[in-house]
Amino acid sequence: MDKIIPNGIIHDVAMLGAGIRQRRRQLGLTQADAAMACGVGTRFLAELERGKPTAQLGKTLQILTGLGLELTLHTRERT
């Protein structure tokens, strides 16, 4: 399993968007092709890749699934 984000920890929407962009490019897809394959609009995907903080979670999860990515939750260790 390849890690898109080196340590696998996403701290903000910009990191999530960058990871999605990286995966889309790995697959050789344009934003238009990826959006169509994931069932979302090109504008939504473009805004998500740019880190728009108000992106809809449902559509975001739809894109992650469509690009073969998964989101997991872990308890953060207290420091």
Side-chain angles (χ1 to χ4, degrees), residues 20-34:
I20 289 170
R21 180 183 311 109
Q22 181 182 346
R23 176 62 176 162
R24 174 182 58 77
R25 289 178 175 169
Q26 283 177 347
L27 295 172
L29 298 172
T30 65
Q31 283 183 335
D33 290 338

Side-chain angles (χ1 to χ4, degrees):
M1 176 183 347
D2 294 330
K3 284 198 174 186
I4 300 296
I5 305 295
N7 64 3
I9 300 172
I10 297 171
H11 296 282
D12 54 36
V13 181
M15 286 180 73
L16 178 61
I20 289 170
R21 180 183 311 109
Q22 181 182 346
R23 176 62 176 162
R24 174 182 58 77
R25 289 178 175 169
Q26 283 177 347
L27 295 172
L29 298 172
T30 65
Q31 283 183 335
D33 290 338
M36 183 180 294
C38 296
V40 300
T42 303
R43 179 178 171 188
F44 178 82
L45 178 57
E47 290 176 347
L48 180 60
E49 287 186 0
R50 285 194 304 272
K52 183 178 179 182
T54 58
Q56 296 175 34
L57 183 57
K59 285 185 180 180
T60 301
L61 294 173
Q62 193 173 329
I63 290 170
L64 292 174
T65 299
L67 296 178
L69 298 170
E70 63 183 17
L71 181 67
T72 61
L73 297 176
H74 301 276
T75 303
R76 181 175 24 175
E77 293 185 24
R78 296 180 187 249
T79 57

